[in-house]
Amino acid sequence: MKSKSYSNQDGSALICALCAILIISLIGANVLLNCTTRYNVSSKQIKGWKEALYAAEGGADIAFSEVRKLLSSPSTAFLHSGGWTTIAGPSYSNGPYSFGQNNSLSTNVTVDQLTATLSGQPQFYYRIRSQGTATLLGLPRVGMDDRIGSVIRGDSLLRKIDFKYDHFKAAYGDGDGNGKAIQAVPNPQITRRIETIAVPQFDSFTGGLRVGNAFAGPGHAGVVDSYNSKNGGYPGTSIAANPVPPTDPNYNYYIYSRQANVSVDTANFTDWGPIYGNVTTNGGNVTNSGVNISGTIDNNVPFTVPPLVIPNTGVATGFATGSGTTLDLSTLPVGTGTTPLAPAKYVYSSLSSGLTITGQKVGGSGPNQNAPIETYVTIVVGSAGSTTGDVGNITIGAGVNAKIYFTGSLNVKANGLVNSNVDGASGVYMLNADGSVSSSTDYSRAGHLQFYGISPTDGSTQSIAIAPPGSVHATVYAPSGDISLTGNVNWVGAIVGRSFTVNGNGGGNTGFHYDKEIVGDGVVTDYQIASYIEDVR
């Protein structure tokens, strides 16, 4: 049988298979290379996107700590030696701070001091703008997910990535439209910007009596109650004459008479007379037995009274050296000290011999000529670390608003604290920005005279002792102050201190009358962040 002949083509099929494998491998390698490159770019950009926010928040935290230093250590806040630059406004800026691996992250921050009316009083608050930047390594291309749909918000951030130029600077400048410019960037980068608002917190006169250690009062014949000076006293009585709060719930101002809250941060609470308000203690056993307490009782309310630091009286703070026993602000240039945010400022080594203060007057020849103008003055008695800055008798003229900080003691007779203002601000005027005057709306007589006891740095206490005769229209904020009233003294205003006592065993008609009109007045004890937004432009 004749055998069949085969051509020598066996190798061709093998070569075709190998070529096909090679081509497929090349395609696969190319796809893998592109996927890997895109993945690396995407992962780095996503990482940079998140880290830029962390950097921005870090800058905001740095700035917020400086804002809080304005209360705890004002002389060390926003120091130039710390890298801060002061701009008119005032505004403060700092940066860049560099951190992260290989310093790939940085932050710049700006703090603007602004004003707002809070609880009826103008106060400073702070706008903190922080930008965080993350350097992008690798190829300068967009690698994030570009998909956009009804439920897909793609991560395409081409306009958020600065490959060669800062897009935000070119379009928006500093964020408020100032300083627009084409500015090159040293490396591809992602920048995110946040804005927070730091607002002041008041722990001063939000209640009638607040003490951190012990409370003993009012007297057997006394009373703790409240009123609102804007509305005047109770019918047929003088608030300084130890009035009896109205008992008719239909009386228009009945509600204001029962808001003299008493708060004690210990269990050490004693009372002899009626309290028209709420009572809270930290671990006490207060009940209504034996004494009338009109409001609620809660024996499980801890709180703190923050220590008070001495205001910064250093160079460029506007303080002048005071001397003598008279301070005539009417001799200063017209308009000096006529707004709460720009008071006249003085430093005294001691006021143990007392001080009489007179304010600005209405000028010209109109019908209000020589009438008192609301005049604001801040006085610091003593110096940092000093305990010798004592305060004696104080007299303020109509329209004068005095805030007196002291490092020593305040031990005087009640009639030695002469507050010549009246509730309702009758006959007192406010100086407007255009030079005209209008009737004052600063109603509280007690709010015109405010005492602030600087907490001793050695942890010791201060003495604030008010003896008879007379009544006091004033406020006291003294976290380290042991405050005592004796005899028939009546205190009208508000008190925050370490302790409050009336004369032994509650004798006499020593009383306390809280003025609701001064809520929100006093000193700022802290700041907190009230808003947080990201500028997504």
Side-chain angles (χ1 to χ4, degrees):
M1 187 172 180
K2 194 173 182 179
S3 62
K4 189 174 181 179
S5 175
Y6 292 92
S7 61
N8 189 17
Q9 297 179 355
D10 294 347
S12 298
L14 180 60
I15 291 174
C16 289
L18 291 173
C19 288
I21 293 173
L22 176 62
I23 292 171
I24 293 173
S25 298
L26 290 174
I27 293 173
N30 186 59
V31 171
L32 181 60
L33 178 62
N34 285 332
C35 288
T36 302
T37 301
R38 187 173 179 84
Y39 172 77
N40 286 336
V41 171
S42 294
S43 64
K44 289 177 180 177
Q45 290 177 0
I46 292 173
K47 178 175 178 286
W49 178 251
K50 294 180 179 296
E51 288 184 337
L53 179 62
Y54 301 152
E57 291 178 336
D61 288 343
I62 291 171
F64 183 55
S65 68
E66 293 296 317
V67 170
R68 297 188 73 191
K69 283 182 184 178
L70 293 170
L71 301 176
S72 62
S73 181
S75 62
T76 64
F78 297 109
L79 292 178
H80 289 191
S81 59
W84 290 94
T85 300
T86 304
I87 310 168
S91 295
Y92 310 95
S93 63
N94 205 346
Y97 296 97
S98 297
F99 45 92
Q101 187 176 11
N102 298 322
N103 288 328
S104 61
L105 302 178
S106 64
T107 181
N108 289 275
V109 62
T110 300
V111 181
D112 301 313
Q113 184 187 79
L114 306 171
T115 59
T117 300
L118 303 174
S119 300
Q121 295 292 325
Q123 299 292 342
F124 291 128
Y125 69 101
Y126 295 87
R127 179 175 68 163
I128 299 171
R129 291 178 291 172
S130 177
Q131 69 176 46
T133 301
T135 301
L136 296 179
L137 304 176
L139 298 175
R141 65 174 64 174
V142 176
M144 293 187 177
D145 191 345
D146 292 330
R147 293 175 297 163
I148 295 291
S150 59
V151 294
I152 300 176
R153 298 295 302 275
D155 292 330
S156 179
L157 297 168
L158 176 59
R159 69 187 184 91
K160 303 291 187 182
I161 302 177
D162 300 322
F163 288 117
K164 292 188 176 181
Y165 303 99
D166 187 327
H167 80 280
F168 192 92
K169 184 76 172 178
Y172 310 109
D174 63 355
D176 291 335
N178 304 313
K180 297 180 184 179
I182 303 297
Q183 182 173 301
V185 295
N187 300 289
Q189 64 184 32
I190 287 181
T191 299
R192 297 178 73 175
R193 295 166 172 82
I194 63 172
E195 178 177 306
T196 58
I197 303 296
V199 298
Q201 300 297 295
F202 297 92
D203 195 24
S204 302
F205 309 128
T206 55
L209 274 159
R210 300 179 72 243
V211 292
N213 184 262
F215 173 87
H220 285 294
V223 66
V224 170
D225 66 355
S226 59
Y227 79 115
N228 189 311
S229 58
K230 185 176 181 179
N231 304 323
Y234 305 137
T237 67
S238 166
I239 194 66
N242 201 16
V244 177
T247 58
D248 182 3
N250 295 317
Y251 172 58
N252 288 339
Y253 304 136
Y254 174 88
I255 188 174
Y256 293 117
S257 68
R258 285 157 168 77
Q259 297 181 14
N261 301 332
V262 176
S263 302
V264 188
D265 190 40
T266 67
N268 195 348
F269 179 94
T270 305
D271 57 345
W272 296 284
I275 296 176
Y276 291 87
N278 302 327
V279 171
T280 65
T281 69
N282 184 9
N285 58 356
V286 181
T287 68
N288 268 308
S289 60
V291 174
N292 174 47
I293 297 175
S294 69
T296 61
I297 298 173
D298 191 336
N299 289 305
N300 189 29
V301 184
F303 66 92
T304 58
V305 180
L308 187 64
V309 300
I310 192 168
N312 182 8
T313 58
V315 177
T317 60
F319 279 87
T321 301
S323 61
T325 58
T326 60
L327 179 58
D328 187 358
L329 301 177
S330 66
T331 62
L332 298 177
V334 175
T336 299
T338 53
T339 64
L341 289 176
K345 300 178 180 179
Y346 296 89
V347 178
Y348 286 81
S349 59
S350 174
L351 284 179
S352 57
S353 298
L355 184 67
T356 298
I357 309 172
T358 54
Q360 293 273 347
K361 308 289 184 183
V362 177
S365 57
N368 301 320
Q369 184 182 12
N370 293 325
I373 292 176
E374 294 284 12
T375 309
Y376 302 86
V377 59
T378 296
I379 296 173
V380 177
V381 186
S383 58
S386 169
T387 58
T388 59
D390 296 335
V391 177
N393 295 345
I394 298 293
T395 299
I396 62 171
V400 173
N401 298 267
K403 290 187 176 183
I404 300 176
Y405 294 79
F406 60 98
T407 59
S409 64
L410 172 62
N411 298 330
V412 297
K413 291 185 177 181
N415 61 7
L417 299 178
V418 181
N419 184 341
S420 299
N421 295 305
V422 294
D423 285 344
S426 177
V428 180
Y429 295 86
M430 299 179 66
L431 183 64
N432 302 318
D434 61 1
S436 64
V437 296
S438 56
S439 295
S440 175
T441 57
D442 194 351
Y443 299 105
S444 176
R445 181 179 184 181
H448 289 294
L449 181 57
Q450 300 180 9
F451 293 99
Y452 295 96
I454 304 302
S455 302
T457 55
D458 61 2
S460 59
T461 61
Q462 289 175 294
S463 173
I464 300 172
I466 309 300
S471 296
V472 177
H473 289 77
T475 63
V476 166
Y477 184 90
S480 303
D482 289 327
I483 303 165
S484 64
L485 308 182
T486 55
N488 61 351
V489 170
N490 275 294
W491 189 289
V492 183
I495 289 177
V496 178
R498 179 179 179 273
S499 68
F500 173 85
T501 60
V502 299
N503 48 304
N505 297 320
N509 60 348
T510 305
F512 172 84
H513 315 287
Y514 173 48
D515 183 3
K516 287 287 295 180
E517 183 64 17
I518 59 178
V519 171
D521 203 350
V523 293
V524 178
T525 56
D526 202 355
Y527 283 90
Q528 79 174 26
I529 299 299
S531 70
Y532 172 109
I533 60 171
E534 181 177 359
D535 189 340
V536 296
R537 291 178 292 177

